[in-house]
Amino acid sequence: MSTPTNRDAGEPAAPSHFVRDIIREDLATNRFDGRVHTRFPPEPNGYLHIGHAKSICMNFGLAKEFGGKCNLRFDDTNPSKEETEYVESIIEDVRWLGFDWEDRLFYASDYFDQLYEWAVQLIKAGNAYVCDLSADEMREYRGTLTEPGRESPYRNRSVEENLELFERMRAGEFPDGSRTLRAKIDMSSPNLNMRDPVMYRIVHAEHHRSGNKWCIYPMYDFTHGQSDSIEGITHSICTLEFEDHRPLYDWYIEQLGIYHPRQIEFARLNLDYTVLSKRKLLTLVQKGYVSGWDDPRKPTISGIRRRGYTPEAIRNFCERIGVAKFNGIIEYSLLEHFVREDLNKTSLRAMAVLRPLKVVIDNYPEGQVEELEAINNPEDPSAGTRKVPFSRVFYIEQDDFREDPPKQYYRLSPGREVRLRYAYFVTCTGVVKDPATGQVVELHCTYDPASKGGNSPDGRKVKSTIHWVSAAHAVEAEVRLYDKLFTCENPNDESDGQEWTSHLNPNSLELIPDAKIEPCLAAAPPGSRYQFERLGYFTVDRDSTPEKRVFNRTVQLRDTWAKIEKSQKGKR
Ligand code: ATP
Ligand code: MG
């Protein structure tokens, strides 16, 4: 079933934001001949995270909305930090989010020849020079925000000398760091990016694509704008830190006399209780704080995918948070809200008991098994029903029994009657304790055979409904419960002198080794998602095998209790 798009209705699909407004305005004035062409330009030096998802959704989303195109381009100018593993993960992640670049997968490294020619062009025009200052010296010459820089002693080399030296840099005659090619702009510019920025550096390193063809590499700033130009990008959407680089990109493009895209900056996404910096995400992996880039606690796309988040939920979240011109922090719970909202509609229900307590129904025939009918998804009648085996001995959650129930506790306790979901009304008649520890290890109950299906036989009410799993049919599983990765709202804030890693939550992972799950879950393939009734949403982990099943908790149910009561009422 498809919902009408904005364009069908002649109206924008979502509440507008300034980037969309700019594109609309450019379409109205025919600035780019009616074209909309965006790109998502990651550097393959790490895995993508939820912040990147915002950029992906915006670039691909706007292109789609306006009937345009969006490229996927790797800005791979730094051979020492980039790897094919990252390229592959990024491709997988963008695809998983639901976007398609068709045949437009590009690499900035494919433009190295063209960029080299452009560098030569700038040298010939007297706009670039080879500089012999070391990195430290260059920093010193650069000046500060309040002091102008000083001109390099090599700034006035002749065009011929520059051409010859640049050619020799390319030929590999000089060691790393000994020389650079710099743009000749303005050492007293108030914008530090304009103080004769480096265009090329010498790096004798193998590149993940161009191999050993090059030992000089263009700087990101000499690559990014021209790559957009080559691809005919209309709107170069990037994050706010590039606002100060825009005059430089403009300068290169004007000096070269090539096609000029329009750059638009927006605020990056920040989330509370986590970090969204590639450097920090890499540290977490390298120092072993998490199991890998796709650890379900990480805000990486691969992490949240493994955790059970859906692409739909992430796209809805990105649409909802909109696009701003100033940085802020979004609550992680908002993301969880969209995950729940989507999973509620789409995931099948099942019963699982995480911390089992054995229950025996004394008046239920020994050896009898009934197949009781259970609803797969109350939100989606087309999901149908399934049969759940019920027998004399089953498990409930330890939490669902209290020997001395406090006020407001309506679940099982001695003498109390409750409903077993889809099964029967049962009353607790006895408690067995471990003589050594005094811990309750088994309950005895009686059931009312007239209450089959969990329906009241005579209008008498019970105040609670609990879930269960038949002991003889239960399948064992390991369940991994996740909590926030950091204990403080903004671990990035180190102004109190505490390092960001000091805020890692030591209890962010709790392992439940021997949960009991409904038999219908036994063969669920990795990646499938369920709601365990009353417990939350869970997904089968990629570690799961037929011998050892492993589930991740995706997100907790918020108002579990009210919901079950409501759906029971709906049934009666
Ligand atoms: P690096 O520090 O390595 O450059 P980066 O996070 O900027 O890290 P890129 O690979 O350069 O990573 O990012 C690709 C695109 O995603 C860029 O256009 C960047 O502006 C955008 N992006 C990165 N982080 C965020 C974020 N938190 N919110 C929104 N967009 C982001
Ligand atoms: Mg970047």
Side-chain angles (χ1 to χ4, degrees):
M1 214 176 62
S2 73
T3 44
T5 66
N6 335 346
R7 290 200 291 142
D8 294 337
E11 287 260 67
S16 202
H17 52 68
F18 78 96
V19 181
R20 182 182 278 121
D21 292 344
I22 288 174
I23 295 181
R24 266 212 210 106
E25 187 188 294
D26 287 345
L27 283 172
T29 59
N30 212 28
R31 176 166 172 169
F32 297 103
D33 303 323
R35 288 188 311 121
V36 174
H37 200 151
T38 56
R39 83 288 175 262
F40 174 63
E43 185 185 347
N45 60 354
Y47 280 62
L48 297 182
H49 55 62
I50 181 80
H52 293 112
K54 174 172 175 175
S55 175
I56 294 167
C57 290
M58 181 154 51
N59 279 296
F60 281 94
L62 287 170
K64 192 170 176 196
E65 183 178 332
F66 292 103
K69 293 174 178 163
C70 182
N71 300 353
L72 175 59
R73 180 180 72 241
F74 289 99
D75 272 343
D76 52 352
T77 54
N78 187 354
S80 53
K81 288 193 172 162
E82 294 158 6
E83 287 173 30
T84 308
E85 175 194 345
Y86 298 138
V87 170
E88 284 163 3
S89 76
I90 290 169
I91 287 177
E92 183 184 358
D93 289 350
V94 179
R95 216 171 253 150
W96 179 77
L97 280 171
F99 298 109
D100 183 11
W101 49 90
E102 297 170 321
D103 55 352
R104 296 179 310 279
L105 170 61
F106 300 121
Y107 294 84
S109 54
D110 290 343
Y111 309 141
F112 282 174
D113 285 308
Q114 174 68 76
L115 289 166
Y116 182 84
E117 275 174 39
W118 277 335
V120 169
Q121 183 184 331
L122 290 183
I123 294 173
K124 285 183 176 162
N127 285 325
Y129 62 97
V130 172
C131 182
D132 301 359
L133 293 179
S134 68
D136 285 342
E137 289 166 332
M138 214 184 290
R139 205 168 301 124
E140 200 197 306
Y141 272 76
R142 200 167 177 228
T144 62
L145 282 172
T146 50
E147 276 173 52
R150 283 179 293 139
E151 294 189 350
S152 160
Y154 306 97
R155 197 173 199 258
N156 295 312
R157 277 178 163 151
S158 68
V159 168
E160 290 66 36
E161 191 183 0
N162 282 320
L163 285 174
E164 188 211 316
L165 284 172
F166 188 48
E167 177 51 42
R168 290 173 61 194
M169 278 168 66
R170 178 192 188 164
E173 288 188 31
F174 310 119
D176 286 5
S178 59
R179 286 194 160 91
T180 56
L181 182 72
R182 298 175 69 178
K184 198 174 189 175
I185 310 181
D186 178 4
M187 287 308 291
S188 59
S189 170
N191 183 342
L192 267 63
N193 294 306
M194 300 299 272
R195 295 186 187 172
D196 290 10
V198 172
M199 293 163 55
Y200 269 88
R201 63 209 191 286
I202 302 173
V203 186
H204 290 268
E206 188 172 310
H207 186 275
H208 74 110
R209 278 179 66 83
S210 58
N212 291 308
K213 176 173 176 192
W214 299 90
C215 62
I216 55 170
Y217 289 94
M219 299 299 288
Y220 181 84
D221 279 351
F222 186 65
T223 309
H224 186 75
Q226 290 98 298
S227 300
D228 281 348
S229 175
I230 291 171
E231 294 176 14
I233 300 304
T234 55
H235 299 88
S236 301
I237 302 168
C238 59
T239 38
L240 284 181
E241 68 273 21
F242 291 101
E243 198 160 8
D244 289 346
H245 296 239
R246 175 151 40 95
L248 176 58
Y249 299 169
D250 289 348
W251 188 88
Y252 285 136
I253 283 188
E254 276 153 30
Q255 298 304 317
L256 294 169
I258 55 178
Y259 164 78
H260 200 156
R262 176 172 187 173
Q263 177 170 312
I264 307 166
E265 304 88 11
F266 71 98
R268 42 176 70 223
L269 167 68
N270 296 302
L271 278 180
D272 61 6
Y273 294 102
T274 194
V275 293
L276 291 183
S277 129
K278 282 188 196 164
R279 180 179 60 79
K280 289 179 180 168
L281 291 170
L282 178 63
T283 303
L284 291 176
V285 175
Q286 285 176 337
K287 297 236 171 112
Y289 291 120
V290 294
S291 64
W293 280 101
D294 70 346
D295 186 297
R297 289 166 292 181
K298 271 174 94 79
T300 50
I301 306 287
S302 48
I304 59 188
R305 171 168 64 233
R306 188 170 171 193
R307 174 101 174 232
Y309 288 21
T310 61
E312 174 94 294
I314 296 166
R315 291 197 304 263
N316 291 343
F317 168 74
C318 290
E319 187 62 49
R320 163 66 175 68
I321 56 176
V323 184
K325 204 54 189 168
F326 41 85
N327 289 310
I329 301 184
I330 304 280
E331 286 174 31
Y332 203 96
S333 58
L334 185 65
L335 174 57
E336 290 186 327
H337 163 83
F338 282 97
V339 173
R340 253 185 227 111
E341 184 188 65
D342 187 39
L343 290 177
N344 181 44
K345 282 186 284 187
T346 55
S347 54
L348 300 180
R349 274 54 171 173
M351 291 196 281
V353 173
L354 300 188
R355 296 171 181 88
L357 174 60
K358 190 173 158 191
V359 183
V360 180
I361 306 188
D362 294 320
N363 61 339
Y364 193 88
E366 222 152 323
Q368 176 173 307
V369 177
E370 288 178 275
E371 296 283 334
L372 301 173
E373 187 161 41
I375 294 168
N376 282 332
N377 184 355
E379 303 290 321
D380 175 13
S382 75
T385 59
R386 69 185 183 285
K387 300 288 186 195
V388 187
F390 181 79
S391 62
R392 190 166 186 265
V393 183
F394 54 89
Y395 299 108
I396 63 169
E397 296 289 345
Q398 288 167 16
D399 255 8
D400 283 337
F401 174 78
R402 290 285 165 81
E403 198 172 10
D404 294 306
K407 259 202 168 143
Q408 311 286 337
Y409 185 92
Y410 299 118
R411 291 169 270 168
L412 209 55
S413 57
R416 168 88 48 83
E417 184 173 54
V418 299
R419 173 190 295 108
L420 296 177
R421 178 82 158 147
Y422 299 122
Y424 289 102
F425 281 20
V426 294
T427 305
C428 178
T429 52
V431 175
V432 180
K433 292 183 186 174
D434 179 332
T437 64
Q439 222 194 327
V440 176
V441 291
E442 188 177 305
L443 301 180
H444 285 260
C445 288
T446 56
Y447 85 118
D448 180 351
S451 62
K452 187 165 176 176
N455 299 306
S456 177
D458 50 10
R460 82 176 181 271
K461 293 207 161 88
V462 287
K463 278 202 169 141
S464 85
T465 300
I466 64 177
H467 62 273
W468 51 273
V469 174
S470 166
H473 306 90
V475 175
E476 298 241 324
E478 175 179 302
V479 176
R480 300 172 182 171
L481 304 180
Y482 303 103
D483 200 352
K484 295 189 169 76
L485 192 50
F486 291 90
T487 51
C488 79
E489 231 171 275
N490 186 4
N492 298 299
D493 179 4
E494 295 182 333
S495 60
D496 57 358
Q498 297 265 7
E499 222 200 311
W500 63 279
T501 47
S502 69
H503 301 294
L504 277 160
N505 177 4
N507 304 315
S508 57
L509 170 61
E510 184 188 353
L511 272 190
I512 307 272
D514 48 7
K516 311 286 183 186
I517 61 176
E518 210 185 297
C520 75
L521 296 169
S528 41
R529 306 180 181 94
Y530 292 89
Q531 184 195 99
F532 289 176
E533 299 226 13
R534 299 177 63 224
L535 297 177
Y537 295 97
F538 293 74
T539 186
V540 184
D541 190 73
R542 64 168 168 75
D543 288 347
S544 197
T545 62
E547 291 74 46
K548 187 190 172 199
R549 290 162 197 86
V550 181
F551 283 80
N552 296 318
R553 183 170 68 196
T554 307
V555 64
Q556 279 174 288
L557 289 177
R558 206 180 358 210
D559 203 2
T560 328
W561 201 235
K563 239 181 206 154
I564 297 254
E565 285 296 290
K566 219 170 96 197
S567 74
Q568 282 291 342
K569 270 191 198 120
K571 260 192 78 192
R572 273 172 288 167

